[in-house]
Amino acid sequence: LAFSSSALLLQLHVARGFSKNNIVYRQGQKSDQLQIVTTLAKEFMNPLGIDTDRFIVATTNDAIIGWAQTKPLGQAASRDPSSYNSRPGSYDLEKDVDDAMWEDFENDNSIQVPVGLASLPWTKEYRAMERAVQNRDTKREQIRARQQQDLDLLQLWELSSVYVLKEYRRKGIGTELVRRVLRDRLEKKTLPTSIYLLTLKTTTDWYREKFAFEEVTGTDIPGSMALEVTAGNFLTKMMGAQLCCMRGTSKTPELCKAAFS
């Protein structure tokens, strides 16, 4: 019923004519989900993982006419330093913590492993070793917390679900939606080079000119996008099109600051 009411409002608005002054951009709401998921599925766009809290939607007279989101890709942008030419997102936090702990252990002369009778549980030597083990558990959590804090700034994100209803295209709405979701993400200290997107080859120039995104291929495509890339390529080839992966650059934040006319 909510979707039908929204569609009716949209038809009435189109009949009255369009004005940019009537466009309102707001945070997504739970009530938006049905229209977003249904429309994306009809357009052969990925309708999965829709969290409306991550969306910016464009409305006119309470009717939804477009939306966009950034969603987490699940892994940090760091590459595995031990693997040549590894993909973004291949870094293993737990392995790095293990390595740091082992290095600390080798350099810690305060740890003495008791032997003989001193290894019995009631001896002071055994209790000293027990305290040292507990201290190392605490130190591990401290190391992990510091490194996790650094990794949070390198979280990979995907700009996705960018869509504007056909009758409202070529009016700057899509540009403003993308600008707003990118700006919101960048204001949360996300690196521009940690934001990726999948798009058709025919629209790469638009992202390049408007937001300074660049095409990436091969191992520069995050491993966490592999399934989406494979599924997307299958669908786009059926349509006679080509799917491309792009990511932000150091120029992206500046282009997201000012509103577009």
Side-chain angles (χ1 to χ4, degrees):
L1 180 59
F3 179 65
S4 299
S5 299
S6 179
L8 179 59
L9 285 170
L10 183 58
Q11 291 174 3
L12 291 172
H13 177 64
V14 171
R16 288 197 296 265
F18 170 81
S19 170
K20 282 188 177 181
N21 296 330
N22 293 331
I23 303 299
V24 175
Y25 297 90
R26 61 165 174 79
Q27 194 74 30
Q29 301 170 356
K30 279 292 184 184
S31 57
D32 304 329
Q33 187 164 6
L34 178 59
Q35 182 176 348
I36 292 174
V37 170
T38 303
T39 305
L40 292 179
K42 287 180 180 178
E43 296 292 332
F44 298 102
M45 298 172 68
N46 184 3
L48 303 178
I50 299 299
D51 182 348
T52 50
D53 290 339
R54 295 194 295 259
F55 275 74
I56 297 292
V57 301
T59 68
T60 178
N61 289 359
D62 295 325
I64 304 172
I65 61 174
W67 51 79
Q69 70 159 330
T70 54
K71 62 181 181 180
L73 284 172
Q75 292 177 300
S78 298
R79 298 172 185 266
D80 178 3
S82 66
S83 177
Y84 174 73
N85 207 25
S86 59
R87 291 181 182 271
S90 56
Y91 173 74
D92 188 336
L93 172 63
E94 296 305 324
K95 181 178 181 299
D96 201 34
V97 172
D98 287 341
D99 291 344
M101 288 295 295
W102 179 252
E103 182 178 355
D104 181 77
F105 176 77
E106 290 181 320
N107 296 325
D108 190 350
N109 297 321
S110 67
I111 299 178
Q112 301 294 328
V113 179
V115 295
L117 293 176
S119 64
L120 295 175
W122 54 81
T123 63
K124 63 179 182 180
E125 290 85 358
Y126 182 90
R127 289 196 295 270
M129 185 191 70
E130 194 173 40
R131 286 193 299 271
V133 170
Q134 292 173 347
N135 289 337
R136 291 192 63 76
D137 288 342
T138 301
K139 182 173 288 187
R140 179 184 180 85
E141 290 307 310
Q142 292 172 342
I143 291 175
R144 191 183 192 286
R146 286 198 302 269
Q147 297 192 10
Q148 183 63 60
Q149 188 175 28
D150 292 338
L151 286 177
D152 287 343
L153 299 178
L154 298 174
Q155 171 68 51
L156 294 180
W157 294 85
E158 182 182 359
L159 171 65
S160 66
S161 310
V162 180
Y163 185 82
V164 177
L165 299 186
K166 291 180 180 179
E167 54 267 44
Y168 288 92
R169 294 176 187 174
R170 301 188 182 279
K171 301 179 187 298
I173 298 171
T175 302
E176 184 63 12
L177 283 167
V178 171
R179 184 190 74 82
R180 286 172 181 256
V181 293
L182 288 178
R183 183 193 62 190
D184 287 355
R185 178 51 47 204
L186 293 168
E187 285 179 349
K188 295 173 182 174
K189 308 302 182 184
T190 297
L191 296 175
T193 51
S194 297
I195 303 176
Y196 290 76
L197 64 86
L198 293 177
T199 190
L200 296 177
K201 182 69 174 178
T202 53
T203 56
T204 54
D205 285 344
W206 186 85
Y207 284 105
R208 187 179 295 109
E209 293 168 6
K210 296 289 187 182
F211 301 103
F213 271 65
E214 63 181 3
E215 282 189 60
V216 292
T217 59
T219 55
D220 284 326
I221 299 175
S224 48
M225 294 183 79
L227 179 61
E228 194 171 3
V229 170
T230 301
N233 272 322
F234 176 76
L235 289 174
T236 53
K237 284 181 180 178
M238 291 176 59
M239 299 162 54
Q242 180 182 349
L243 190 68
C244 295
C245 183
M246 306 184 79
R247 73 175 167 212
T249 66
S250 59
K251 297 178 181 179
T252 301
E254 187 65 32
L255 293 173
C256 292
K257 286 182 179 178
F260 290 95
S261 58

